[in-house]
Amino acid sequence: MIAGTRPLDFNPKIELKRWDFKIEDEVRSWWEKEDWWRFNVDSPKPKFVIDTPPPYPAPLWHIGAAVSYSLHDMIARAMRMLGYEVLYPIGFDRNGLPIELYVEKYLGLTPWKTDREKFLEACRKALDEFVENMKKVLKRLLIAADIDHPYLTDSPEYRAFTQATFIEAWKKGLVYEAERPNNWCPKCRTTIADAEVEYKERPGILAYIKFKVKETGEDLIIATTRPELLCACQAVIVHPEDERYKHLHGKHAIIPLYNREVPIIPHKLADPNFGTGAMMVCSFGDWRDVQLFRELRLKPIKAIDENGRMTECAGPIAGLKVKEAKKKIIEILKEQGLVVKVENIVHKVPVHERCETEIEIIPMKEYYLKQLEFKDVLRKYANEMKWQPERYKVNLLQWIDSVSMDWPISRRRFYATEIPVWTCKKCGYKYVPPPGKYYRPWKENPPIDKCPKCGANEWEGETRVFDTWMDSSVTVLYITRYMRDQRFWEETFLKGTKLRPQGYDIIRTWLYYSLLRVHQLTEKRAFDWVFINGMGLDEKGRKMSKRYGNVIKPEEILDKYGADATRFWIALEVKPGENYRVIENKIRGAHKFLTKLLNVARYISAFPIVEEADLSDSDKWILAELNETIEKVRKAYEEMDFHQAAEEIYHFVWDKLASHYIELSKKRARLMDERFNEEEAKGAWYALHQSLKNVLLMLAPIAPAITDYIWRQLYSKESIHAQELPKPKEEWKFEKELEMGRKIMELNSAVWKVKKEVLKRKLREPITLQELKENGVELPDLGGFQKDFYALHNIQ
């Protein structure tokens, strides 16, 4: 026996008995001094690009965001350990309406009544404050990226890049200006794209109104949810097969109050089962009206203005807001006996997703980016990309199929990238400057002496800005330095594997627009992989919302349990693409697992590290279990399924290594029984250290601090995150021992049950074979497991 290896002399190298998450700050400080996480374009490794979602800075960030960015960091860490050189940038998406709405609400600055520069500065200042708070959260989540130097979509560099991509699209003839019906948000006073529209159930009315048929004098009752649009009615349609109205085909209806004649037209879009089956066609109650106006070549009447008020053509309700106008016109119609009845209903109405204001459809002159001609290639890309999970591909395909008009890209707001266009005041020529500089046409002169068309030198700078998705849709090109560093772009974008991780709620916006814009600019597919994460819900399964008062801030969880426990809970709880509930008890359970892991590591740290040894059947069994776990975990990481990886690691550590193998090999490893010698102990030492070492490597992408802490205490001064993920070993495929080991686990449980529940003995007390047999436990031939099994259970 080796001197100094008596049972009481096995002192653990790890002194910590309970995981203290305050150590995470110390571990992160190690990483900031090292370079294993920094991207090196000159590395010979294959490149992996993560187009990390740049979060929108907000005063309140809930736990769902922490989940998303932790998952993305797990991807980056796993891919590094799988042998990739990983480009994993952090950015903040700072353009668009949210900050304007915040400044309006909390600082009292209205963009249309405030000096533009002053308003923009207020937005910038608020954003800077939000970003600093979010950086702290990202650091606390142990995100291994350059958080101190993020890209900002409102920086002059980024805005110049967005403008450069627009200029390129302009040169290709993909941009045009036109006046046509658009979704209009009266509150935000801007055009919005279809992708920014949501449908919400809201209370409304269904008014049955009397029209007169000119030719017959009979009443024609029409049910409508938009009586305020009577003034904009240009036709009435009925279904061609509706027997009630066949005699009216080709005749004319007289609009009540306004006394205009409009044609009665048979058309299949009329629903015989809605209302009375007769429908008025107005400009523009909904997109069905838009379609009918185009098809029937009707002349639109602008009934609602940009402020959401009725125009002069509305007569007695002119100047009123839409809801007020709806009530007022019903009163007027009732006074004149023109209302049959009014029903209260609940129906789906289109709202602006940002402010939830009900939108109107108003003809506006806007810039459009062509998209209809690209639908086929986008479908092709959707089918070529790998999806995790696969079922979300249909969301993109359905959205592509639903696109029916070009994308209106201009917005009448302020805090966004300006459209780099000047218009000649004399001849109307549109001047678009060369790329490379950040242009602000609303306050700058164009970089040209005179109009190339007419020679004049008076210009009107564009005051409109881009839809924020014009900026966000080119993030993958920005981070791969498109148009700015050809070699970097070739190594990353052209040769690398490109991943888009994001929520399912923005498939129709961020993912769709990115595929569209990248194809238009490069004729390449933007991504190879799409990783979709779900939405965080409260314990009752409700969406987190300030309205419900159920928003959980990441700091609340991090203050209690730290990042590693939070991240391990995320991996265990969050299946790819699935919504998940935030239940604190489960996070507490994740923290208990980390303490269990630490205790296992502390126990194993007491034994010498040996490179080879003669193995008992027990040792072979745990190494075979470990081998299977390595294979499953590696596959899970390759498929970005962290739920599967975490479950496999959990079950190996808790259910096999700690509960059975450590107990089975303890007396041998610690030389606590005369039946064992030093050579046999070495087999246990080898198996224990191999198990711990490989568990740490497998768990590192998920719980990066505790694994690196233990790793450096025992195995290397170089970070665990600079290592490779383990691979299965052919020499550890002990099939016979694996099968027997699983039976041994069942026998262990059976013996413990007899001792504890039947014989009321402590587990360390002796038991005879006869006693076991009398209580239903008959031992088979245990082969090479027998010595460990008898020693564990103190079988006499």
Side-chain angles (χ1 to χ4, degrees):
M1 189 168 293
I2 304 172
T5 58
R6 295 307 308 159
L8 297 178
D9 293 335
F10 286 110
N11 295 316
K13 293 186 181 68
I14 295 174
E15 296 178 2
L16 199 64
K17 294 182 180 179
R18 182 177 176 80
W19 177 241
D20 183 356
F21 63 81
K22 291 175 184 174
I23 296 171
E24 292 169 356
D25 290 337
E26 180 186 354
V27 175
R28 180 169 182 86
S29 71
W30 301 342
W31 302 341
E32 288 174 351
K33 296 170 187 172
E34 297 165 349
D35 62 0
W36 54 264
W37 55 272
R38 299 179 194 277
F39 180 72
N40 176 14
V41 72
D42 296 320
S43 167
K45 297 177 183 177
K47 310 302 185 291
F48 193 92
V49 178
I50 304 176
D51 186 17
T52 324
Y56 198 93
L60 179 64
W61 223 28
H62 70 65
I63 189 69
V67 169
S68 297
Y69 288 92
S70 296
L71 284 169
H72 305 159
D73 181 66
M74 291 177 203
I75 294 172
R77 290 176 180 275
M79 291 304 158
R80 288 190 194 103
M81 295 182 76
L82 282 167
Y84 288 94
E85 187 70 25
V86 178
L87 177 61
Y88 174 46
I90 296 295
F92 291 94
D93 189 4
R94 296 172 33 130
N95 290 314
L97 274 170
I99 191 59
E100 294 193 32
L101 298 176
Y102 176 87
V103 168
E104 284 184 67
K105 183 175 181 178
Y106 295 103
L107 303 183
L109 299 178
T110 306
W112 299 279
K113 298 176 183 177
T114 307
D115 173 74
R116 185 164 181 167
E117 201 68 86
K118 180 181 177 183
F119 183 78
L120 296 179
E121 183 56 35
C123 292
R124 269 191 294 272
K125 189 174 178 182
L127 286 166
D128 288 344
E129 184 181 328
F130 300 158
V131 164
E132 288 308 309
N133 289 333
M134 290 167 76
K135 283 182 182 178
K136 291 175 186 174
V137 174
L138 289 171
K139 287 184 177 182
R140 291 191 65 187
L141 288 168
L142 303 177
I143 305 300
D146 192 356
I147 297 168
D148 289 323
H149 302 95
Y151 70 84
L152 309 175
T153 61
D154 64 343
S155 68
E157 295 78 16
Y158 197 103
R159 285 184 171 174
F161 181 71
T162 298
Q163 289 179 338
T165 63
F166 167 81
I167 293 164
E168 186 68 20
W170 181 278
K171 288 177 184 176
K172 292 182 175 184
L174 298 174
V175 180
Y176 62 91
E177 189 179 32
E179 183 170 356
R180 57 178 56 168
N182 272 304
N183 301 309
W184 179 267
C185 176
K187 180 178 180 181
C188 301
R189 292 174 63 174
T190 187
T191 296
I192 59 173
D194 287 346
E196 299 170 82
V197 176
E198 290 182 345
Y199 286 84
K200 301 276 188 182
E201 287 200 340
R202 298 273 170 91
I205 62 163
L206 185 60
Y208 291 74
I209 300 170
K210 290 180 184 178
F211 285 60
K212 280 286 183 188
V213 179
K214 175 188 173 185
E215 288 81 0
T216 66
E218 65 187 278
D219 287 339
L220 175 62
I221 311 302
I222 295 179
T224 178
T225 60
R226 301 295 303 265
E228 73 277 10
L229 292 181
L230 274 174
C231 63
C233 179
Q234 289 289 58
V236 171
I237 63 170
V238 294
H239 196 277
E241 304 302 323
D242 194 333
E243 293 291 340
R244 294 171 294 178
Y245 302 118
K246 280 190 174 181
H247 69 289
L248 298 182
H249 293 183
K251 294 183 170 55
H252 297 81
I254 299 173
I255 303 171
L257 289 186
Y258 300 96
N259 295 315
R260 284 192 298 104
E261 297 176 14
V262 297
I264 301 173
I265 304 169
H267 199 286
K268 288 185 178 180
L269 277 182
D271 182 358
N273 300 312
F274 177 80
T276 64
M279 176 182 126
M280 63 178 190
V281 183
C282 306
S283 52
F284 293 100
D286 57 27
W287 282 101
R288 182 173 51 179
D289 286 329
V290 174
Q291 177 185 340
L292 286 165
F293 264 75
R294 288 175 183 161
E295 181 185 330
L296 302 175
R297 299 178 183 270
L298 302 174
K299 184 178 179 181
I301 297 170
K302 189 173 182 178
I304 302 171
D305 68 14
E306 291 82 356
N307 297 312
R309 294 183 181 274
M310 306 304 296
T311 63
E312 289 301 315
C313 73
I317 57 171
L320 296 178
K321 289 198 170 181
V322 170
K323 287 187 179 179
E324 298 165 349
K326 195 188 297 282
K327 291 178 184 177
K328 184 65 176 175
I329 200 162
I330 291 294
E331 291 174 10
I332 296 170
L333 290 167
K334 280 182 177 179
E335 288 171 3
Q336 299 189 21
L338 297 170
V339 177
V340 176
K341 63 177 177 177
V342 177
E343 296 175 348
N344 290 319
I345 62 170
V346 174
H347 61 149
K348 285 189 175 180
V349 296
V351 301
H352 185 189
E353 66 173 358
R354 295 288 189 186
C355 64
E356 298 198 350
T357 301
E358 291 182 25
I359 66 160
E360 299 295 343
I361 298 172
I362 297 177
M364 299 291 293
K365 184 177 273 192
E366 302 290 3
Y367 286 101
Y368 290 85
L369 181 68
K370 293 179 181 178
Q371 59 179 350
L372 296 177
E373 63 197 70
F374 299 101
K375 290 172 68 168
D376 286 343
V377 72
L378 296 183
R379 286 190 197 94
K380 174 175 169 284
Y381 289 162
N383 286 307
E384 288 176 348
M385 294 185 297
K386 295 178 184 176
W387 292 75
Q388 176 60 290
E390 174 75 16
R391 69 179 185 277
Y392 279 103
K393 177 169 68 175
V394 72
N395 293 45
L396 178 59
L397 290 170
Q398 287 175 347
W399 177 252
I400 293 170
D401 289 342
S402 76
V403 171
S404 60
M405 60 179 287
D406 287 332
W407 175 16
I409 58 173
S410 50
R411 299 288 180 269
R412 297 165 192 272
R413 294 296 298 195
F414 296 93
Y415 202 83
T417 301
E418 292 86 347
I419 298 174
V421 175
W422 284 263
T423 304
C424 176
K425 289 184 177 180
K426 184 176 179 182
C427 71
Y429 173 78
K430 299 284 185 183
Y431 172 71
V432 176
K437 178 182 178 294
Y438 171 38
Y439 298 101
R440 299 200 289 173
W442 59 273
K443 67 174 294 184
E444 300 171 358
N445 291 322
I448 191 172
D449 293 330
K450 58 185 180 180
C451 174
K453 186 176 179 182
C454 71
N457 60 2
E458 287 192 39
W459 299 92
E460 182 179 354
E462 184 57 67
T463 59
R464 287 171 291 177
V465 297
F466 286 124
D467 175 358
T468 187
W469 292 112
M470 282 289 285
D471 298 279
S472 306
S473 60
V474 291
T475 50
V476 69
L477 295 179
Y478 185 80
I479 65 173
T480 55
R481 302 186 189 175
Y482 175 66
M483 294 197 294
R484 288 149 26 250
D485 185 330
Q486 183 65 22
R487 179 173 173 272
F488 192 96
W489 185 66
E490 287 177 358
E491 291 295 321
T492 54
F493 186 93
L494 294 182
K495 297 179 183 178
T497 299
K498 300 174 293 298
L499 167 72
R500 162 59 62 79
Q502 63 167 74
Y504 61 73
D505 55 324
I506 51 174
I507 287 174
R508 66 179 187 175
T509 48
W510 195 32
L511 179 56
Y512 169 78
Y513 287 139
S514 296
L515 291 170
L516 172 69
R517 295 260 280 133
V518 170
H519 173 78
Q520 288 177 338
L521 292 163
T522 69
E523 297 189 354
K524 305 288 183 186
R525 188 182 67 233
F527 307 109
D528 304 290
W529 267 93
V530 180
F531 175 89
I532 300 294
N533 48 266
M535 185 180 294
L537 309 173
D538 69 8
E539 287 191 358
K540 297 176 182 177
R542 297 178 305 172
K543 181 180 177 181
M544 290 190 190
S545 167
K546 285 188 284 185
R547 278 182 293 174
Y548 299 143
N550 62 348
V551 175
I552 300 172
K553 295 191 288 187
E555 297 93 323
E556 295 171 10
I557 300 299
L558 293 170
D559 287 345
K560 284 186 179 180
Y561 304 105
D564 271 352
T566 302
R567 290 169 63 113
F568 190 67
W569 161 75
I570 289 167
L572 269 179
E573 187 70 16
V574 182
K575 295 180 181 178
E578 298 282 349
N579 290 343
Y580 53 91
R581 298 189 184 195
V582 182
I583 301 172
E584 188 173 342
N585 195 42
K586 291 191 174 184
I587 304 173
R588 192 179 297 117
H591 188 266
K592 286 180 181 176
F593 173 80
L594 296 186
T595 293
K596 183 75 168 180
L597 175 66
L598 182 69
N599 288 334
V600 166
R602 187 171 184 273
Y603 169 76
I604 294 173
S605 74
F607 302 115
I609 298 172
V610 293
E611 295 303 321
E612 57 182 27
D614 292 331
L615 304 176
S616 74
D617 282 7
S618 303
D619 304 329
K620 291 177 181 178
W621 161 65
I622 197 63
L623 291 174
E625 293 281 13
L626 175 64
N627 214 38
E628 271 200 6
T629 304
I630 289 171
E631 186 174 10
K632 290 175 182 176
V633 169
R634 189 176 180 91
K635 184 181 178 186
Y637 279 144
E638 287 169 351
E639 295 175 355
M640 290 174 264
D641 187 346
F642 300 97
H643 170 76
Q644 184 66 32
E647 279 208 328
E648 295 293 341
I649 295 166
Y650 179 93
H651 289 306
F652 176 78
V653 172
W654 200 293
D655 299 337
K656 298 169 185 175
L657 178 64
S659 297
H660 289 278
Y661 177 72
I662 285 178
E663 298 301 322
L664 203 59
S665 63
K666 185 176 287 183
K667 289 183 178 177
R668 175 161 54 96
R670 295 179 66 82
L671 294 168
M672 295 170 67
D673 192 300
E674 296 297 331
R675 283 174 282 199
F676 300 111
N677 59 41
E678 180 194 329
E679 287 305 310
E680 290 171 309
K682 281 184 179 179
W685 301 343
Y686 175 83
L688 287 165
H689 276 290
Q690 287 297 330
S691 295
L692 176 61
K693 189 174 184 179
N694 282 280
V695 163
L696 294 175
L697 288 165
M698 288 187 288
L699 187 58
I702 294 171
I706 189 172
T707 52
D708 207 10
Y709 176 81
I710 296 170
W711 178 265
R712 297 195 203 216
Q713 294 266 317
L714 298 180
Y715 300 121
S716 173
K717 294 305 176 187
E718 184 182 54
S719 174
I720 194 171
H721 304 291
Q723 316 304 316
E724 289 188 9
L725 274 173
K727 296 176 182 177
K729 295 185 178 183
E730 192 64 34
E731 61 268 29
W732 285 356
K733 290 183 177 179
F734 302 111
E735 294 181 8
K736 247 177 35 176
E737 289 81 359
L738 181 63
E739 184 180 351
M740 188 62 192
R742 289 173 180 175
K743 290 177 183 174
I744 292 291
M745 288 196 292
E746 293 175 8
L747 289 169
N748 282 341
S749 300
V751 173
W752 286 327
K753 187 175 181 180
V754 168
K755 275 190 173 183
K756 189 176 179 182
E757 296 180 15
V758 180
L759 302 177
K760 309 298 182 185
R761 293 180 190 167
K762 292 179 180 178
L763 297 184
R764 67 173 178 269
E765 291 181 3
I767 192 170
T768 66
L769 291 171
Q770 184 62 31
E771 285 175 312
L772 287 173
K773 188 174 182 181
E774 288 169 358
N775 288 282
V777 181
E778 192 156 358
L779 299 182
D781 179 5
L782 300 177
F785 285 89
Q786 182 167 313
K787 281 177 74 174
D788 281 343
F789 188 85
Y790 274 43
L792 165 60
H793 297 296
N794 200 358
I795 295 174
Q796 302 297 312

